[in-house]
Amino acid sequence: MMLHKVRRMLTRQLIMIINATRAHMAEFGIVAPVGRAVVDRLLAIIDDETDIPSGIPR
């Protein structure tokens, strides 16, 4: 029973992190669809320094 609760909590936290990342990226004009599958693409965009819009401090 405890493992189920821990798994559920970790899943909720993961979803919260994904949604927060999507929200922060949307502030910079980078919009991604909902879901876990797009996390890798968002992280690649974040890592790529050539995609940083001008006016954002580095």
Side-chain angles (χ1 to χ4, degrees):
M1 187 62 116
M2 184 181 84
L3 290 177
H4 294 290
K5 289 181 182 182
V6 171
R7 182 175 187 268
R8 184 175 18 170
M9 180 185 66
L10 292 174
T11 302
R12 286 181 182 174
Q13 289 176 347
L14 177 63
I15 292 169
M16 289 180 355
I17 291 170
I18 292 170
N19 288 337
T21 304
R22 287 180 57 245
H24 290 300
M25 296 300 289
E27 289 182 15
F28 297 112
I30 301 170
V31 181
V34 176
R36 292 185 193 176
V38 296
V39 173
D40 292 332
R41 288 192 294 177
L42 276 179
L43 293 177
I45 291 171
I46 292 170
D47 285 341
D48 188 8
E49 292 185 11
T50 60
D51 288 343
I52 298 174
S54 60
I56 298 175
R58 296 179 184 186

